[in-house]
Amino acid sequence: MSSHGPGISSWFWNPDIWLPPNVTWDSFDESDPEIAKEAFVSPGTFARFSDLWYPIPLAILVMIARWVVERGIFKKVGIWMGMKDYKRTFPAHNQVLESVFRSVTDPSLREVDHLSAESGLSIRQVERWFRQRRQAELPNTLQKFCETGWRFVFYLGILTYGFSCLWYKSWFWNIHNCWADYPNHKVDRDIWLYYMLELSFYWSLSISQFFDVKRKDFWGMFIHHNATIALMMFSWTTHFIRIGTLVLLVHDCADPLLELAKLFRYARYKKTCDAVFLVFSIVWVVTRCGVFPLWILYSTLFEGVMFIRMFPAYFIFNGLLGTLQLLHIVWTYLLYKVLKKALSQGNVDDMRSDSEPSGDETDTKSKKDT
């Protein structure tokens, strides 16, 4: 990013917006011949915007690893535990009903009456077709068990790696070091890999959503994944990498516990699921509503100004982190509702991104209803 062409590119990469006063992109120019020979990032080099291309092909490798873990480990475990491996069955193809289903999955009585006349089927047949079509879109318990197992493996692995990276970093023990001598913060290889792995994972989630079984919260999670990617890319580009690693670590703490609780839920270990979910809730509140705002957000809002001169990207970064904290509050409220429901009904039900029943659960319910 040491040089940019005229026009939109030079306007977008205006250093007066992205960098502190008296700092330009040339300040990070490492055109030393020895460094130029490197095909990969070197230990102790500055972050480069071009580094952010690496996670895209790496996301393909992450999806391959996911396939191996799901098929090679969790599918076998799920079948061993008695989960059924069946393919989704679709109702007989009907072009009229299928075209409507793409926009309305649960038509009203008036719409059903109209579709009955248009398709030549009885009202009962139309209702049955839509019910079967909705069920065909739902993942079965084994599929959800495998997907959750993969996320648990990744979240636990990246949390462990994150702690191993940051344990020996000065800013982990003294957050003031996130700002001291900014923006002259070179990136060690382990931190570089930490960022690239996190980005690769979220790129893989964003891409694989279009191939996985569609969920009710498809667009909500799509926005979440891409907002996470944008925030990480923004922090990398503006060299807020040290504070960025702390944000990543704090957010990774609760995720393995949530996925573990889901695994026990699908395996029908109810008491274990409830116990793990309770631990998850405690860790969530401590990290997202305690550590993040009181340690990280406080430092970015009030302590950073003591070390660096203000510039537009700094305010944007703080705005993004503040928005993230507002989301934490909303999600904590939803978590409170789940816990309240669990205490009143005696079980932990749908958790965050797992908002729909599985196909086999719906089949069982339908049989009971009939």
Side-chain angles (χ1 to χ4, degrees):
M1 266 189 308
S2 59
S3 62
H4 300 281
I8 296 177
S9 179
S10 58
W11 169 81
F12 181 81
W13 292 113
N14 187 341
D16 293 336
I17 296 175
W18 290 88
L19 300 172
N22 301 322
V23 179
T24 67
W25 297 117
D26 290 331
S27 303
F28 308 101
D29 184 14
E30 297 178 299
S31 56
D32 185 281
E34 293 301 318
I35 297 177
K37 291 179 183 179
E38 295 288 342
F40 205 59
V41 67
S42 300
T45 60
F46 287 115
R48 300 185 294 263
F49 183 77
S50 58
D51 295 335
L52 298 175
W53 290 107
Y54 285 107
I56 298 177
L58 284 175
I60 306 300
L61 297 180
V62 171
M63 287 189 283
I64 293 174
R66 169 186 169 177
W67 185 86
V68 172
V69 171
E70 288 186 5
R71 298 276 180 165
I73 300 176
F74 287 96
K75 186 175 183 179
K76 294 179 180 179
V77 172
I79 293 175
W80 176 77
M81 299 183 74
M83 300 178 194
K84 296 179 181 179
D85 181 22
Y86 64 86
K87 295 182 179 179
R88 294 174 292 162
T89 56
F90 288 80
H93 180 72
N94 187 301
Q95 186 59 43
V96 174
L97 301 183
E98 184 66 33
S99 61
V100 174
F101 181 82
R102 293 172 185 171
S103 57
V104 181
T105 60
D106 191 10
S108 64
L109 291 176
R110 180 179 296 181
E111 291 171 324
V112 169
D113 186 60
H114 175 75
L115 290 171
S116 174
E118 189 175 353
S119 64
L121 300 175
S122 67
I123 291 178
R124 189 175 182 83
Q125 286 175 320
V126 172
E127 290 175 335
R128 184 184 299 115
W129 190 95
F130 273 91
R131 183 171 62 251
Q132 293 175 345
R133 187 65 179 83
R134 287 194 300 270
Q135 290 175 1
E137 289 290 316
L138 296 176
N140 59 51
T141 299
L142 181 60
Q143 287 176 297
K144 294 166 76 172
F145 180 80
C146 293
E147 291 179 10
T148 301
W150 156 247
R151 290 196 298 270
F152 170 72
V153 168
F154 180 85
Y155 287 142
L156 183 61
I158 201 67
L159 177 63
T160 303
Y161 182 72
F163 268 112
S164 68
C165 289
L166 294 175
W167 193 261
Y168 300 101
K169 305 302 181 185
S170 61
W171 64 89
F172 180 74
W173 302 103
N174 184 354
I175 199 169
H176 291 170
N177 288 321
C178 288
W179 314 111
D181 199 32
Y182 174 85
N184 300 313
H185 295 164
K186 294 193 174 185
V187 183
D188 293 332
R189 190 185 298 276
D190 55 350
I191 296 298
W192 186 93
L193 184 60
Y194 184 38
Y195 245 83
M196 296 303 113
L197 286 174
E198 290 273 15
L199 273 170
S200 300
F201 177 70
Y202 282 102
W203 271 117
S204 73
L205 290 181
S206 183
I207 295 170
S208 63
Q209 270 195 302
F210 291 94
F211 304 100
D212 291 336
V213 177
K214 295 295 186 295
R215 303 293 181 90
K216 288 183 179 180
D217 59 354
F218 175 88
W219 289 111
M221 295 309 297
F222 182 78
I223 293 172
H224 170 267
H225 298 332
N226 285 275
T228 302
I229 291 170
L231 182 57
M232 292 181 65
M233 293 177 67
F234 186 87
S235 65
W236 185 266
T237 304
T238 54
H239 298 266
F240 287 132
I241 298 165
R242 292 185 177 183
I243 198 72
T245 58
L246 298 181
V247 173
L248 287 174
L249 189 68
V250 167
H251 283 76
D252 287 339
C253 287
D255 289 335
L257 292 168
L258 176 62
E259 304 305 328
L260 184 60
K262 289 181 182 180
L263 286 174
F264 284 121
R265 177 191 172 200
Y266 300 142
R268 300 183 184 278
Y269 287 95
K270 176 183 172 300
K271 291 184 178 180
T272 308
C273 167
D274 293 349
V276 175
F277 188 75
L278 179 60
V279 176
F280 156 76
S281 303
I282 295 172
V283 174
W284 170 280
V285 172
V286 169
T287 56
R288 307 285 181 107
C289 297
V291 175
F292 180 75
L294 299 179
W295 185 43
I296 295 177
L297 193 56
Y298 176 83
S299 183
T300 62
L301 289 174
F302 303 107
E303 295 179 341
V305 297
M306 298 186 297
F307 293 87
I308 62 177
R309 297 174 64 184
M310 298 298 95
F311 59 104
Y314 176 81
F315 295 111
I316 296 173
F317 185 67
N318 276 288
L320 293 172
L321 292 181
T323 303
L324 188 59
Q325 181 56 34
L326 291 177
L327 290 174
H328 290 167
I329 295 172
V330 173
W331 289 331
T332 302
Y333 171 71
L334 297 177
L335 177 62
Y336 164 76
K337 291 178 65 177
V338 171
L339 289 172
K340 184 178 179 181
K341 181 180 178 181
L343 291 174
S344 62
Q345 298 184 2
N347 70 296
V348 173
D349 201 358
D350 301 332
M351 292 178 282
R352 212 167 64 174
S353 64
D354 197 41
S355 56
E356 75 291 310
S358 59
D360 39 2
E361 290 170 343
T362 307
D363 290 340
T364 302
K365 182 179 179 181
S366 299
K367 291 177 183 177
K368 289 181 179 179
D369 292 340
T370 56

